[in-house]
Amino acid sequence: MFRRSFGGLVGVVRCRVDELREEADRIHAELAVAEGEWNEWVIARSRVGEVLAPDGDVVVSDPSEGLPDPGGRPVRPGPAEAAKPKSVVPMRRAGSVWSALSQDYQRILRALADRDRLGQGPLTCQEMAGCFGLDPVPAKVEALRSKAKRLVARGWPAESAPGRFTLAKDVAGPGGGS
């Protein structure tokens, strides 16, 4: 009698495990499709940005990426701001000042400078999002990472390790040159 009820229980549990495996496989397949579509969108957006950039300049392509104002409140551009031309990140040269950069890029450098001044070491983009009062969701973090990488490519900050940004040692503050 015990074997018969135990055997029935094993069969029920085995069926449940098989059902859950099938559901997990279905979810993994849906996730793979969604990730593939997302990657295609990211690549397409990047390529369009490269094509539209004048003479190979690196540009800010999404004005809706809200960074906070100095008071810590996120800034959401209105229709007039969305129509502004793209912001070019200039190469840093001797005598370059932060005012040559748009406000978004100046905020990144200011956060790196504050971190350096306090001796807190490199700053990740997720930490940067927190500093700016943004939710640390992937879209916001990746927008900050893109901007930080543009700055690194143009010689403003340094990337001490992958994804960890510091102010370049020879970069002066907002008013001074290098």
Side-chain angles (χ1 to χ4, degrees):
M1 176 90 172
F2 176 72
R3 285 185 177 232
R4 182 176 288 161
S5 63
F6 183 72
L9 183 60
V10 168
V12 169
V13 171
R14 180 176 287 157
C15 283
R16 181 67 179 143
V17 167
D18 290 342
E19 289 171 0
L20 289 173
R21 281 192 178 130
E22 288 175 13
E23 186 176 351
D25 289 344
R26 181 188 57 77
I27 290 171
H28 282 293
E30 285 183 39
L31 178 61
V33 169
E35 286 176 337
E37 290 172 354
W38 173 254
N39 288 336
E40 288 175 12
W41 182 87
V42 169
I43 290 168
R45 183 171 181 242
S46 172
R47 297 242 168 98
V48 167
E50 290 171 8
V51 168
L52 296 178
D55 301 325
D57 285 341
V58 179
V59 296
V60 177
S61 61
D62 189 1
S64 67
E65 298 164 359
L67 290 176
D69 68 9
R73 296 176 311 274
V75 175
R76 300 285 181 222
E81 289 177 312
K84 287 183 181 177
K86 296 176 183 176
S87 175
V88 175
V89 179
M91 289 295 293
R92 190 178 65 80
R93 302 185 194 323
S96 293
V97 292
W98 290 11
S99 60
L101 300 169
S102 71
Q103 289 295 317
D104 292 348
Y105 292 103
Q106 288 181 38
R107 286 186 191 107
I108 292 171
L109 291 177
R110 195 172 305 120
L112 295 174
D114 289 345
R115 185 80 171 216
D116 186 55
R117 181 178 47 84
L118 296 172
Q120 295 177 338
L123 187 64
T124 66
C125 292
Q126 192 161 12
E127 294 167 330
M128 219 181 286
C131 290
F132 297 152
L134 300 173
D135 292 328
V137 295
K140 299 295 181 186
V141 172
E142 290 306 315
L144 286 171
R145 185 180 331 281
S146 174
K147 287 179 174 139
K149 293 243 183 213
R150 283 183 192 123
L151 285 169
V152 168
R154 299 300 188 161
W156 293 90
E159 190 171 11
S160 59
R164 304 190 61 74
F165 301 92
T166 59
L167 195 61
K169 295 301 176 197
D170 60 342
V171 173
S178 51

